[in-house]
Amino acid sequence: MSPNTGEDAVVSGAHSANVPILREGVASYLADSDPEETQEWMDSLDGLLAEAGPERARYLMLRLLERASKQRVALPALTSSDYVNTIPTSQEPEFPGDETIERRYRKWVRWNAAIMVHRAQRPGIGVGGHISTYAGAAPLYEVGYNYFFRGKDHPGGGDQVFFQGHASPGMYARAFLEGRLTEEQLDGFRQEKSQAGHALPSYPHPRCLPEFWEYPTVSMGIGPMNAIFQARFNKYLANRGIKDTSDQHVWAFLGDGEMDEPESRGALAIAANDALDNLTFVINCNLQRLDGPVRGNGQIIQELESYFRGAGWNVIKVIWGRNWDTLFAMDTENALVDLMNNVSDGDYQTIRANDGKYLRENFFNRDPRTAKMVEDWTDDELWALKRGGHDYRKIYAAYKAALEHKGQPTVILAHTIKGYGLGTNFEGRNATHQMKKLTLDDLKNFRDKQEIPITDEELERDPYLPPYYKPEPDSTEIKYLLERRKELGGFVPERRHTFTPLTVPGIDKLKKMRQGSGNQEVATTMASVRILKELMRDPELKKRFVPIIPDEARTFGMDSWFPTLKIYNPHGQNYTSVDHDLMLSYKESTSGQIMHEGINEAGSVSEFTAAGTAYATHGEPMIPVYIFYSMFGFQRTGDFIWAASDQLARGFFLGATAGRTTLTGEGLQHMDGHSQLLAATNPAIVAYDPAFGFELAHIFHAGIERMYGPGSEVEPEQGVEPVPHDEDRNVSYYITLYNEPATQPAEPEDLDVDALLRGLYLFRKAENSGLEADILASGVGMYAAMRAQEILAEDHGVAANLWSATSWNELAKNGLACDRYALRNPEGEAQVPFVTSQLEEGAGPVIAVSDFQRAVPEQIRGFIPRAYYTLGTDGFGFSDTRPAARRFFNTDAESIVIAVLRGLYKEGTIGHDQLVQATRDLEIDSVDAAPEQTSDPGVA
């Protein structure tokens, strides 16, 4: 061992004597160039502690750190600071507006928001709602509305504002004052069908109110991550030269309880790594979850500060209002700050739920020095002390600092009171989130506190329907409010549906992809990559594609895109790639087109959402193509995909390595046999399970045409009835792809493309005569079905027609729509489900097979006009060869043959002995009898 290393090195010499007192060993590896000077500094600190005490020493150390930071000395960041405002009063900018006027109409908004929810509880309605979230957060929004949120007519483009879901009543109430919503619409809150045409959805739901809301946020955790990737996508658009987004900002209003969701914190480092200074989180720290305190024994603001600082964010705390400044000036011994640092959130909440006397006795009187500071204050004066999240000046200073900060995203931690202004029965109470009604006394107290010019008589006339308040349009306050929005570029929130549709090349552009693969075996995953590559030969269409890959490009055969499309990185590529001398080397670029998200499926869907709604957010139609292990799509990120559908996203989800028997050897966690079923639960997903490359060509072409072609810029009218599924352009496509190479047949000359797109077409008619049957197959199940068709003809004389079921889900949706029509229109002409019309002229049993569980083809059972039998891969997947797995699940050719013969037996056209003998001969109950695997195992 070297004499200058190891444990012995830290116990001898001046340098070693300094090391043990370094905090957490942060400098234990650093060489001391001047041990003597170091010891002088240590002695100086010891002397300061002895003479002035730890408080003074702490203050000076913090000032030194502050000075070092300003002088660009590289130091580890402090993870948390005192429980005080980040921006000192001396550094606050002048407030630019008339606070008196602004506070006046803020009270009107708060009143109308609460009254809207209260009126929604009237007898016969009782649809719920939340009033306390907005009541406590109103100033946070109003400062944004008055000075920061830019509308879509702003010269630099509009901001993207993610509103806290439970605060939606406040946005409706403000839009009412702005003249955008009517009283009738407020009274239609949460009654979207019974009051269709003048109703408002419960939360921010763009699909329900598409001209108003832009971003669905109420599923906790989705808003934070989607906001991060929205900001990231804005930078992507700018760096690729598609749109200048440099003057657009993303604001996300979140709850402190919401930050416990893993998704809320999971992408914070991405925002810091990408230096997203176009992003600000505003966390409404009212210290409460839905049931009780977020951190009763701790301090959630301090925890969040540490977390965000550690992730690389700029943190601004807004904890105390301006009337605390007098007390801070008196706090020469830091007694007040020390007290604030040590009071738990549970106590802060309880104190605020009482009165000024309680505040004095249970807060200030904890320390004789702080008790002395307020001895001349009345209880009412103490009770008037505000939290920072209720002070316009403190909020304005924080927002302004956030916008001016460069190189990092910013989080503002604003200390508020849930239910603020609603009265003592609501403010800070554990049950305040669930409280939706106000008693007559509550209404009167609330009215008085908000200074609403409504009389007792008006309230007493019908306590279920207290009046809204809206002054005349020419009032000083309304004119002021509207002028502020005009100066900032229009109203917020507002969603626009204005873009130029794309010119989609004709299907002949994909002629080569429809000619088959000859003798070459090609998996549908690779076929899709080739189709996309061919589509991207069109220069206008090429720039619209946004490939999104969660670290599996090589598995999917997309590594060929690395050197041509390049991988997006806002910092470029500042290193030499290990494969730089190869043709398919890893290339990163500031103008890269591929969004390579790493092992981050949730972030990938958030990226998909930002890209898939750019047609509305930015007026730029972009085509996201997100390819992933199908098992890790709807199962892992289904809530994000649901939110993408709510946000009216358009694009392609590609579930690669699909099927429960196809991904050879990977096992239970990877083998997907149910993603098509999960996709069926989302009304905005058009799902396909194609077998062949030519089918893929038509699906991709039709998808782009539907989502972005002529007419796609027209937003359908909202009514009682939903837009018919086949007419809805606000859809995304889910296509399952396989990694099993196979010879791709050429497109049949008589292909019925419309039938293919609707979900079922006749692929190969039986060439023999005999007993009849029909086989419906999808995906890799088609190859087993093709072989089964041959065995049935050669060995059993059965003429089985072979149908390609490209979409079980589309067939089911069509059938259900016909059923619903029949239920509601018994006197009308019956609508025939498409699958029924396709099969009604045939005879014999119908057998369905896929590489998914039976519930997928079972969706159409009610619309099959004959006896129907399904085969599928029910149960967990496992590691084995494809033939062994298919024999186990009974989805191979031999099992299909027996299923057909069983159907014929049950209808009495063959004998039982024939069925038994065939079953014995084909050994479908023996995995050992399965053939050896001959196909390429593919890449996993």
mmCIF file of all heavy atoms in Angstrom, residues 141 149 160-164 215 217 222-228 249-255 258-259 278-284 313 399 410-412:
data_model
loop_
_atom_site.group_PDB
_atom_site.id
_atom_site.type_symbol
_atom_site.label_atom_id
_atom_site.label_comp_id
_atom_site.label_asym_id
_atom_site.label_seq_id
_atom_site.Cartn_x
_atom_site.Cartn_y
_atom_site.Cartn_z
ATOM 1 N N TYR A 141 -53.130 31.182 -9.677
ATOM 2 C CA TYR A 141 -53.632 31.259 -11.046
ATOM 3 C C TYR A 141 -53.820 32.698 -11.496
ATOM 4 O O TYR A 141 -53.485 33.050 -12.638
ATOM 5 C CB TYR A 141 -54.958 30.497 -11.164
ATOM 6 C CG TYR A 141 -54.793 29.004 -11.045
ATOM 7 C CD1 TYR A 141 -55.229 28.315 -9.915
ATOM 8 C CD2 TYR A 141 -54.177 28.268 -12.049
ATOM 9 C CE1 TYR A 141 -55.070 26.945 -9.801
ATOM 10 C CE2 TYR A 141 -54.010 26.893 -11.942
ATOM 11 C CZ TYR A 141 -54.455 26.241 -10.814
ATOM 12 O OH TYR A 141 -54.286 24.882 -10.701
ATOM 13 N N PHE A 149 -49.401 34.087 -18.331
ATOM 14 C CA PHE A 149 -49.899 33.082 -19.270
ATOM 15 C C PHE A 149 -50.185 33.730 -20.617
ATOM 16 O O PHE A 149 -51.130 34.523 -20.747
ATOM 17 C CB PHE A 149 -51.193 32.436 -18.765
ATOM 18 C CG PHE A 149 -51.082 31.748 -17.437
ATOM 19 C CD1 PHE A 149 -52.234 31.474 -16.700
ATOM 20 C CD2 PHE A 149 -49.857 31.359 -16.917
ATOM 21 C CE1 PHE A 149 -52.158 30.833 -15.480
ATOM 22 C CE2 PHE A 149 -49.766 30.725 -15.687
ATOM 23 C CZ PHE A 149 -50.932 30.473 -14.965
ATOM 24 N N GLN A 160 -48.235 26.779 -22.761
ATOM 25 C CA GLN A 160 -48.984 25.557 -22.473
ATOM 26 C C GLN A 160 -49.138 25.464 -20.955
ATOM 27 O O GLN A 160 -48.134 25.369 -20.235
ATOM 28 C CB GLN A 160 -48.254 24.334 -23.013
ATOM 29 C CG GLN A 160 -48.297 24.219 -24.531
ATOM 30 C CD GLN A 160 -47.093 24.852 -25.213
ATOM 31 O OE1 GLN A 160 -45.962 24.638 -24.814
ATOM 32 N NE2 GLN A 160 -47.344 25.642 -26.240
ATOM 33 N N VAL A 161 -50.383 25.526 -20.491
ATOM 34 C CA VAL A 161 -50.659 25.553 -19.059
ATOM 35 C C VAL A 161 -51.392 24.269 -18.663
ATOM 36 O O VAL A 161 -52.491 23.990 -19.145
ATOM 37 C CB VAL A 161 -51.491 26.779 -18.659
ATOM 38 C CG1 VAL A 161 -51.650 26.833 -17.138
ATOM 39 C CG2 VAL A 161 -50.854 28.064 -19.175
ATOM 40 N N PHE A 162 -50.754 23.495 -17.791
ATOM 41 C CA PHE A 162 -51.355 22.281 -17.249
ATOM 42 C C PHE A 162 -52.001 22.653 -15.918
ATOM 43 O O PHE A 162 -51.312 22.857 -14.921
ATOM 44 C CB PHE A 162 -50.280 21.209 -17.043
ATOM 45 C CG PHE A 162 -49.749 20.615 -18.320
ATOM 46 C CD1 PHE A 162 -48.953 21.361 -19.168
ATOM 47 C CD2 PHE A 162 -50.043 19.308 -18.664
ATOM 48 C CE1 PHE A 162 -48.455 20.819 -20.350
ATOM 49 C CE2 PHE A 162 -49.553 18.753 -19.841
ATOM 50 C CZ PHE A 162 -48.760 19.511 -20.684
ATOM 51 N N PHE A 163 -53.319 22.771 -15.915
ATOM 52 C CA PHE A 163 -54.044 23.190 -14.724
ATOM 53 C C PHE A 163 -54.256 22.003 -13.790
ATOM 54 O O PHE A 163 -54.523 20.880 -14.238
ATOM 55 C CB PHE A 163 -55.398 23.784 -15.098
ATOM 56 C CG PHE A 163 -55.296 25.081 -15.849
ATOM 57 C CD1 PHE A 163 -55.327 25.107 -17.236
ATOM 58 C CD2 PHE A 163 -55.157 26.274 -15.171
ATOM 59 C CE1 PHE A 163 -55.236 26.299 -17.936
ATOM 60 C CE2 PHE A 163 -55.067 27.476 -15.860
ATOM 61 C CZ PHE A 163 -55.102 27.488 -17.253
ATOM 62 N N GLN A 164 -54.142 22.257 -12.499
ATOM 63 C CA GLN A 164 -54.426 21.207 -11.522
ATOM 64 C C GLN A 164 -55.878 20.770 -11.694
ATOM 65 O O GLN A 164 -56.803 21.589 -11.682
ATOM 66 C CB GLN A 164 -54.168 21.730 -10.110
ATOM 67 C CG GLN A 164 -54.103 20.646 -9.058
ATOM 68 C CD GLN A 164 -53.730 21.195 -7.683
ATOM 69 O OE1 GLN A 164 -53.449 22.382 -7.529
ATOM 70 N NE2 GLN A 164 -53.731 20.337 -6.680
ATOM 71 N N TYR A 215 -55.064 20.020 -21.850
ATOM 72 C CA TYR A 215 -54.262 18.981 -21.215
ATOM 73 C C TYR A 215 -55.023 18.312 -20.071
ATOM 74 O O TYR A 215 -55.346 18.960 -19.083
ATOM 75 C CB TYR A 215 -52.948 19.575 -20.676
ATOM 76 C CG TYR A 215 -52.227 20.379 -21.734
ATOM 77 C CD1 TYR A 215 -52.219 21.774 -21.683
ATOM 78 C CD2 TYR A 215 -51.603 19.744 -22.804
ATOM 79 C CE1 TYR A 215 -51.598 22.512 -22.670
ATOM 80 C CE2 TYR A 215 -50.980 20.478 -23.795
ATOM 81 C CZ TYR A 215 -50.984 21.857 -23.726
ATOM 82 O OH TYR A 215 -50.367 22.589 -24.711
ATOM 83 N N THR A 217 -55.284 16.353 -16.736
ATOM 84 C CA THR A 217 -54.310 16.310 -15.646
ATOM 85 C C THR A 217 -54.803 15.597 -14.398
ATOM 86 O O THR A 217 -54.018 15.403 -13.467
ATOM 87 C CB THR A 217 -53.928 17.745 -15.224
ATOM 88 O OG1 THR A 217 -55.122 18.469 -14.881
ATOM 89 C CG2 THR A 217 -53.198 18.471 -16.333
ATOM 90 N N ILE A 222 -49.756 12.110 -14.069
ATOM 91 C CA ILE A 222 -49.625 12.217 -15.514
ATOM 92 C C ILE A 222 -49.286 13.649 -15.929
ATOM 93 O O ILE A 222 -48.460 13.874 -16.819
ATOM 94 C CB ILE A 222 -50.912 11.723 -16.202
ATOM 95 C CG1 ILE A 222 -50.983 10.204 -16.082
ATOM 96 C CG2 ILE A 222 -50.951 12.148 -17.664
ATOM 97 C CD1 ILE A 222 -52.197 9.581 -16.712
ATOM 98 N N GLY A 223 -49.907 14.630 -15.268
ATOM 99 C CA GLY A 223 -49.641 16.026 -15.608
ATOM 100 C C GLY A 223 -48.174 16.404 -15.514
ATOM 101 O O GLY A 223 -47.621 17.011 -16.440
ATOM 102 N N PRO A 224 -47.497 16.080 -14.394
ATOM 103 C CA PRO A 224 -46.084 16.450 -14.283
ATOM 104 C C PRO A 224 -45.216 15.878 -15.392
ATOM 105 O O PRO A 224 -44.409 16.595 -15.993
ATOM 106 C CB PRO A 224 -45.684 15.888 -12.915
ATOM 107 C CG PRO A 224 -46.948 15.804 -12.139
ATOM 108 C CD PRO A 224 -48.016 15.503 -13.141
ATOM 109 N N MET A 225 -45.390 14.586 -15.668
ATOM 110 C CA MET A 225 -44.546 13.980 -16.703
ATOM 111 C C MET A 225 -44.894 14.507 -18.086
ATOM 112 O O MET A 225 -44.009 14.798 -18.902
ATOM 113 C CB MET A 225 -44.664 12.459 -16.656
ATOM 114 C CG MET A 225 -43.624 11.770 -17.528
ATOM 115 S SD MET A 225 -43.571 9.962 -17.355
ATOM 116 C CE MET A 225 -42.751 9.806 -15.774
ATOM 117 N N ASN A 226 -46.177 14.648 -18.376
ATOM 118 C CA ASN A 226 -46.567 15.177 -19.682
ATOM 119 C C ASN A 226 -46.078 16.609 -19.875
ATOM 120 O O ASN A 226 -45.716 17.006 -20.987
ATOM 121 C CB ASN A 226 -48.084 15.115 -19.851
ATOM 122 C CG ASN A 226 -48.562 13.737 -20.293
ATOM 123 O OD1 ASN A 226 -47.762 12.827 -20.491
ATOM 124 N ND2 ASN A 226 -49.860 13.582 -20.445
ATOM 125 N N ALA A 227 -46.065 17.396 -18.804
ATOM 126 C CA ALA A 227 -45.574 18.769 -18.908
ATOM 127 C C ALA A 227 -44.087 18.788 -19.252
ATOM 128 O O ALA A 227 -43.624 19.602 -20.062
ATOM 129 C CB ALA A 227 -45.835 19.520 -17.606
ATOM 130 N N ILE A 228 -43.331 17.902 -18.616
ATOM 131 C CA ILE A 228 -41.893 17.828 -18.899
ATOM 132 C C ILE A 228 -41.653 17.494 -20.367
ATOM 133 O O ILE A 228 -40.848 18.140 -21.058
ATOM 134 C CB ILE A 228 -41.224 16.788 -17.984
ATOM 135 C CG1 ILE A 228 -41.149 17.318 -16.550
ATOM 136 C CG2 ILE A 228 -39.823 16.430 -18.490
ATOM 137 C CD1 ILE A 228 -40.708 16.295 -15.522
ATOM 138 N N HIS A 249 -43.778 28.997 -23.072
ATOM 139 C CA HIS A 249 -43.421 28.455 -21.766
ATOM 140 C C HIS A 249 -44.458 27.429 -21.341
ATOM 141 O O HIS A 249 -45.649 27.559 -21.632
ATOM 142 C CB HIS A 249 -43.354 29.582 -20.727
ATOM 143 C CG HIS A 249 -42.515 29.244 -19.537
ATOM 144 N ND1 HIS A 249 -41.137 29.277 -19.558
ATOM 145 C CD2 HIS A 249 -42.845 28.848 -18.278
ATOM 146 C CE1 HIS A 249 -40.665 28.932 -18.367
ATOM 147 N NE2 HIS A 249 -41.679 28.659 -17.574
ATOM 148 N N VAL A 250 -44.003 26.406 -20.653
ATOM 149 C CA VAL A 250 -44.880 25.364 -20.126
ATOM 150 C C VAL A 250 -45.008 25.551 -18.618
ATOM 151 O O VAL A 250 -44.004 25.603 -17.899
ATOM 152 C CB VAL A 250 -44.334 23.958 -20.436
ATOM 153 C CG1 VAL A 250 -45.229 22.890 -19.805
ATOM 154 C CG2 VAL A 250 -44.231 23.745 -21.944
ATOM 155 N N TRP A 251 -46.249 25.686 -18.165
ATOM 156 C CA TRP A 251 -46.549 25.825 -16.741
ATOM 157 C C TRP A 251 -47.324 24.586 -16.304
ATOM 158 O O TRP A 251 -48.294 24.195 -16.951
ATOM 159 C CB TRP A 251 -47.415 27.058 -16.475
ATOM 160 C CG TRP A 251 -46.818 28.363 -16.883
ATOM 161 C CD1 TRP A 251 -46.835 28.927 -18.129
ATOM 162 C CD2 TRP A 251 -46.146 29.293 -16.031
ATOM 163 N NE1 TRP A 251 -46.208 30.140 -18.106
ATOM 164 C CE2 TRP A 251 -45.774 30.400 -16.830
ATOM 165 C CE3 TRP A 251 -45.828 29.297 -14.676
ATOM 166 C CZ2 TRP A 251 -45.094 31.496 -16.318
ATOM 167 C CZ3 TRP A 251 -45.148 30.390 -14.153
ATOM 168 C CH2 TRP A 251 -44.787 31.467 -14.962
ATOM 169 N N ALA A 252 -46.924 24.002 -15.195
ATOM 170 C CA ALA A 252 -47.657 22.858 -14.655
ATOM 171 C C ALA A 252 -48.032 23.149 -13.210
ATOM 172 O O ALA A 252 -47.156 23.352 -12.362
ATOM 173 C CB ALA A 252 -46.816 21.587 -14.732
ATOM 174 N N PHE A 253 -49.332 23.196 -12.939
ATOM 175 C CA PHE A 253 -49.833 23.444 -11.581
ATOM 176 C C PHE A 253 -50.187 22.096 -10.958
ATOM 177 O O PHE A 253 -51.031 21.359 -11.473
ATOM 178 C CB PHE A 253 -51.045 24.371 -11.628
ATOM 179 C CG PHE A 253 -50.658 25.795 -11.929
ATOM 180 C CD1 PHE A 253 -50.421 26.202 -13.231
ATOM 181 C CD2 PHE A 253 -50.498 26.718 -10.911
ATOM 182 C CE1 PHE A 253 -50.035 27.498 -13.517
ATOM 183 C CE2 PHE A 253 -50.117 28.021 -11.177
ATOM 184 C CZ PHE A 253 -49.875 28.406 -12.480
ATOM 185 N N LEU A 254 -49.519 21.811 -9.858
ATOM 186 C CA LEU A 254 -49.577 20.484 -9.263
ATOM 187 C C LEU A 254 -49.891 20.578 -7.781
ATOM 188 O O LEU A 254 -49.752 21.638 -7.176
ATOM 189 C CB LEU A 254 -48.240 19.772 -9.470
ATOM 190 C CG LEU A 254 -47.641 19.861 -10.877
ATOM 191 C CD1 LEU A 254 -46.196 19.406 -10.884
ATOM 192 C CD2 LEU A 254 -48.485 19.055 -11.859
ATOM 193 N N GLY A 255 -50.275 19.466 -7.201
ATOM 194 C CA GLY A 255 -50.513 19.409 -5.765
ATOM 195 C C GLY A 255 -49.359 18.747 -5.051
ATOM 196 O O GLY A 255 -48.677 17.885 -5.613
ATOM 197 N N GLU A 258 -49.909 15.103 -4.841
ATOM 198 C CA GLU A 258 -49.696 14.459 -6.139
ATOM 199 C C GLU A 258 -48.236 14.096 -6.366
ATOM 200 O O GLU A 258 -47.928 13.160 -7.112
ATOM 201 C CB GLU A 258 -50.166 15.410 -7.249
ATOM 202 C CG GLU A 258 -49.982 14.893 -8.656
ATOM 203 C CD GLU A 258 -50.514 15.851 -9.710
ATOM 204 O OE1 GLU A 258 -50.902 16.985 -9.339
ATOM 205 O OE2 GLU A 258 -50.544 15.486 -10.892
ATOM 206 N N MET A 259 -47.332 14.809 -5.713
ATOM 207 C CA MET A 259 -45.913 14.561 -5.933
ATOM 208 C C MET A 259 -45.440 13.243 -5.334
ATOM 209 O O MET A 259 -44.296 12.843 -5.526
ATOM 210 C CB MET A 259 -45.080 15.718 -5.381
ATOM 211 C CG MET A 259 -45.348 17.059 -6.046
ATOM 212 S SD MET A 259 -45.287 16.994 -7.862
ATOM 213 C CE MET A 259 -43.568 16.576 -8.136
ATOM 214 N N ASN A 278 -37.678 26.346 -20.262
ATOM 215 C CA ASN A 278 -39.005 26.737 -20.729
ATOM 216 C C ASN A 278 -40.108 26.057 -19.930
ATOM 217 O O ASN A 278 -41.251 25.986 -20.367
ATOM 218 C CB ASN A 278 -39.166 26.406 -22.211
ATOM 219 C CG ASN A 278 -39.019 24.911 -22.501
ATOM 220 O OD1 ASN A 278 -38.417 24.175 -21.719
ATOM 221 N ND2 ASN A 278 -39.556 24.447 -23.619
ATOM 222 N N LEU A 279 -39.753 25.554 -18.754
ATOM 223 C CA LEU A 279 -40.690 24.777 -17.926
ATOM 224 C C LEU A 279 -40.694 25.277 -16.493
ATOM 225 O O LEU A 279 -39.631 25.466 -15.893
ATOM 226 C CB LEU A 279 -40.282 23.307 -17.946
ATOM 227 C CG LEU A 279 -40.998 22.357 -16.985
ATOM 228 C CD1 LEU A 279 -42.472 22.209 -17.371
ATOM 229 C CD2 LEU A 279 -40.319 20.987 -16.980
ATOM 230 N N THR A 280 -41.885 25.486 -15.949
ATOM 231 C CA THR A 280 -42.036 25.849 -14.538
ATOM 232 C C THR A 280 -43.131 24.996 -13.909
ATOM 233 O O THR A 280 -44.257 24.949 -14.408
ATOM 234 C CB THR A 280 -42.401 27.336 -14.375
ATOM 235 O OG1 THR A 280 -41.332 28.142 -14.881
ATOM 236 C CG2 THR A 280 -42.622 27.685 -12.909
ATOM 237 N N PHE A 281 -42.767 24.316 -12.843
ATOM 238 C CA PHE A 281 -43.753 23.647 -11.997
ATOM 239 C C PHE A 281 -44.174 24.620 -10.898
ATOM 240 O O PHE A 281 -43.317 25.252 -10.281
ATOM 241 C CB PHE A 281 -43.157 22.411 -11.321
ATOM 242 C CG PHE A 281 -43.127 21.156 -12.145
ATOM 243 C CD1 PHE A 281 -43.387 21.164 -13.508
ATOM 244 C CD2 PHE A 281 -42.833 19.928 -11.545
ATOM 245 C CE1 PHE A 281 -43.350 20.002 -14.253
ATOM 246 C CE2 PHE A 281 -42.796 18.753 -12.270
ATOM 247 C CZ PHE A 281 -43.055 18.788 -13.637
ATOM 248 N N VAL A 282 -45.455 24.731 -10.650
ATOM 249 C CA VAL A 282 -45.972 25.472 -9.504
ATOM 250 C C VAL A 282 -46.705 24.461 -8.631
ATOM 251 O O VAL A 282 -47.774 23.966 -8.998
ATOM 252 C CB VAL A 282 -46.916 26.612 -9.924
ATOM 253 C CG1 VAL A 282 -47.407 27.370 -8.691
ATOM 254 C CG2 VAL A 282 -46.221 27.556 -10.899
ATOM 255 N N ILE A 283 -46.108 24.136 -7.498
ATOM 256 C CA ILE A 283 -46.708 23.118 -6.627
ATOM 257 C C ILE A 283 -47.471 23.802 -5.507
ATOM 258 O O ILE A 283 -46.906 24.554 -4.706
ATOM 259 C CB ILE A 283 -45.634 22.169 -6.068
ATOM 260 C CG1 ILE A 283 -44.884 21.499 -7.229
ATOM 261 C CG2 ILE A 283 -46.270 21.118 -5.170
ATOM 262 C CD1 ILE A 283 -43.841 20.492 -6.804
ATOM 263 N N ASN A 284 -48.753 23.551 -5.509
ATOM 264 C CA ASN A 284 -49.674 24.119 -4.521
ATOM 265 C C ASN A 284 -49.512 23.342 -3.213
ATOM 266 O O ASN A 284 -50.122 22.293 -3.019
ATOM 267 C CB ASN A 284 -51.095 24.021 -5.082
ATOM 268 C CG ASN A 284 -52.153 24.465 -4.116
ATOM 269 O OD1 ASN A 284 -51.880 25.202 -3.167
ATOM 270 N ND2 ASN A 284 -53.378 24.018 -4.337
ATOM 271 N N TRP A 313 -32.909 21.022 -10.485
ATOM 272 C CA TRP A 313 -33.859 22.103 -10.761
ATOM 273 C C TRP A 313 -33.512 23.353 -9.962
ATOM 274 O O TRP A 313 -32.906 23.284 -8.889
ATOM 275 C CB TRP A 313 -35.274 21.678 -10.393
ATOM 276 C CG TRP A 313 -35.915 20.695 -11.329
ATOM 277 C CD1 TRP A 313 -35.404 19.490 -11.740
ATOM 278 C CD2 TRP A 313 -37.190 20.820 -11.957
ATOM 279 N NE1 TRP A 313 -36.288 18.859 -12.577
ATOM 280 C CE2 TRP A 313 -37.389 19.652 -12.733
ATOM 281 C CE3 TRP A 313 -38.178 21.791 -11.947
ATOM 282 C CZ2 TRP A 313 -38.541 19.437 -13.490
ATOM 283 C CZ3 TRP A 313 -39.341 21.581 -12.689
ATOM 284 C CH2 TRP A 313 -39.512 20.426 -13.456
ATOM 285 N N TYR A 399 -42.710 34.072 -10.073
ATOM 286 C CA TYR A 399 -42.959 33.782 -11.485
ATOM 287 C C TYR A 399 -41.969 34.525 -12.372
ATOM 288 O O TYR A 399 -41.441 33.972 -13.348
ATOM 289 C CB TYR A 399 -44.389 34.170 -11.863
ATOM 290 C CG TYR A 399 -45.480 33.262 -11.336
ATOM 291 C CD1 TYR A 399 -45.208 32.236 -10.437
ATOM 292 C CD2 TYR A 399 -46.800 33.425 -11.730
ATOM 293 C CE1 TYR A 399 -46.213 31.410 -9.956
ATOM 294 C CE2 TYR A 399 -47.825 32.606 -11.261
ATOM 295 C CZ TYR A 399 -47.525 31.604 -10.367
ATOM 296 O OH TYR A 399 -48.517 30.795 -9.895
ATOM 297 N N THR A 410 -37.567 25.263 -13.467
ATOM 298 C CA THR A 410 -37.814 25.863 -12.152
ATOM 299 C C THR A 410 -39.047 25.240 -11.514
ATOM 300 O O THR A 410 -40.034 24.960 -12.186
ATOM 301 C CB THR A 410 -38.025 27.385 -12.280
ATOM 302 O OG1 THR A 410 -36.799 27.993 -12.699
ATOM 303 C CG2 THR A 410 -38.447 28.001 -10.957
ATOM 304 N N VAL A 411 -38.961 25.027 -10.204
ATOM 305 C CA VAL A 411 -40.137 24.631 -9.441
ATOM 306 C C VAL A 411 -40.395 25.702 -8.395
ATOM 307 O O VAL A 411 -39.469 26.175 -7.739
ATOM 308 C CB VAL A 411 -39.969 23.251 -8.771
ATOM 309 C CG1 VAL A 411 -38.793 23.219 -7.814
ATOM 310 C CG2 VAL A 411 -41.243 22.834 -8.049
ATOM 311 N N ILE A 412 -41.651 26.100 -8.287
ATOM 312 C CA ILE A 412 -42.078 27.063 -7.270
ATOM 313 C C ILE A 412 -42.912 26.308 -6.245
ATOM 314 O O ILE A 412 -43.921 25.679 -6.594
ATOM 315 C CB ILE A 412 -42.889 28.211 -7.901
ATOM 316 C CG1 ILE A 412 -41.990 29.015 -8.854
ATOM 317 C CG2 ILE A 412 -43.490 29.113 -6.833
ATOM 318 C CD1 ILE A 412 -42.742 30.009 -9.711
#
